[in-house]
Amino acid sequence: TQLLEQSPQFLSIQEGENLTVYCNSSSVFSSLQWYRQEPGEGPVLLVTVVTGGEVKKLKRLTFQFGDARKDSSLHITAAQPGDTGLYLCAGSSHYYGGSQGNLIFGKGTKLSVKP
Amino acid sequence: ETGVTQTPRHLVMGMTNKKSLKCEQHLGHNAMYWYKQSAKKPLELMFVYNFKEQTENNSVPSRFSPECPNSSHLFLHLHTLQPEDSALYLCASSQDGADLGNEQFFGPGTRLTVL
């Protein structure tokens, strides 16, 4: 069974601080996505990474896919209260026998940014 | 607004009731998904429909019965549920369920409580 482990589970920081959250697996993924979910809403896609070692930037958010395509990180610079939410990583793979479009989700990192 | 709507947003039902959850997508997508999101567990994929055909059923109990009359609508029929079925039920859609790394657009979810 493929698992995606996210850490930390909870993170509470002050506005302006930097942070990194991690998504790790013992399995290889063909692609990996990061979503943000706010209370009372469904997850919203932030980025998809496909190539090992790939780095993508979205304003103050930097996403990296590990060289071996087993792990990923999300770094937020100068966090703002609007960044508060549940950050989910999701991997897509054809190795486990399901449709290669299906996603496996981690449990998420719950981020709280205090003003 | 992601283009995926779900009704009702909240539902409380007894174990002997029968109810249905509805999902509609206005994105012209061909794949639709049902997920279950429980506290302390990762998002669990329940069912996948690709071009109105069910392509995935992740060992979901028969008290959950999906229906996909067309590529824009997806239902989840519920009967004789258990209290442990209480969760947030999320619907999602994507352009094509077989595409690697396809972006999934989520609805806001139905918060279900089974008494």
Side-chain angles (χ1 to χ4, degrees):
Chain A
T1 303
Q2 289 187 321
L3 285 176
L4 276 170
E5 301 286 343
Q6 288 192 244
S7 60
Q9 266 190 286
F10 301 96
L11 189 55
S12 182
I13 61 172
Q14 292 296 130
E15 182 176 2
E17 291 183 21
N18 300 333
L19 67 116
T20 303
V21 298
Y22 301 92
C23 177
N24 296 297
S25 175
S26 57
S27 304
V28 175
F29 287 94
S30 307
S31 68
L32 198 136
Q33 298 177 345
W34 284 93
Y35 289 79
R36 181 170 69 213
Q37 184 177 18
E38 298 185 22
E41 299 298 329
V44 176
L45 180 70
L46 297 173
V47 77
T48 301
V49 286
V50 179
T51 307
E54 183 177 2
V55 176
K56 279 192 174 178
K57 291 195 173 187
L58 187 67
K59 296 183 181 176
R60 293 176 294 99
L61 279 59
T62 302
F63 304 86
Q64 185 160 10
F65 201 11
D67 291 339
R69 289 184 288 133
K70 292 183 180 182
D71 54 85
S72 180
S73 64
L74 158 59
H75 182 80
I76 302 179
T77 303
Q80 298 176 3
D83 296 326
T84 294
L86 179 68
Y87 287 82
L88 296 162
C89 67
S92 178
S93 170
H94 60 272
Y95 296 118
Y96 74 101
S99 167
Q100 62 182 14
N102 292 350
L103 296 175
I104 297 169
F105 281 84
K107 290 184 185 179
T109 293
K110 197 166 185 180
L111 172 64
S112 174
V113 182
K114 295 181 170 33
Chain B
E1 190 63 48
T2 62
V4 181
T5 58
Q6 289 187 243
T7 55
R9 293 293 306 272
H10 300 272
L11 179 62
V12 179
M13 58 188 288
M15 288 192 282
T16 57
N17 291 157
K18 286 185 181 181
K19 295 286 184 184
S20 295
L21 310 184
K22 179 182 176 183
C23 175
E24 184 173 358
Q25 57 97 357
H26 312 274
L27 302 167
H29 287 167
N30 296 307
M32 295 188 78
Y33 310 77
W34 279 117
Y35 287 90
K36 176 183 178 183
Q37 188 174 34
S38 308
K40 299 180 184 177
K41 292 175 81 173
L43 262 168
E44 299 171 72
L45 179 65
M46 300 174 71
F47 300 104
V48 181
Y49 278 81
N50 206 16
F51 293 92
K52 300 188 296 176
E53 298 295 322
Q54 186 175 313
T55 58
E56 203 83 19
N57 175 344
N58 270 3
S59 304
V60 180
S62 59
R63 57 186 184 269
F64 295 92
S65 173
E67 178 190 359
C68 188
N70 55 62
S71 57
S72 298
H73 293 85
L74 186 65
F75 295 89
L76 188 63
H77 303 299
L78 317 171
H79 65 97
T80 57
L81 294 192
Q82 305 297 311
E84 60 264 28
D85 296 322
S86 298
L88 182 68
Y89 287 84
L90 290 161
C91 172
S93 72
S94 66
Q95 183 60 45
D96 186 329
D99 278 350
L100 202 60
N102 69 110
E103 177 180 2
Q104 294 188 16
F105 292 78
F106 285 82
T110 295
R111 173 67 63 185
L112 174 67
T113 303
V114 182
L115 301 176

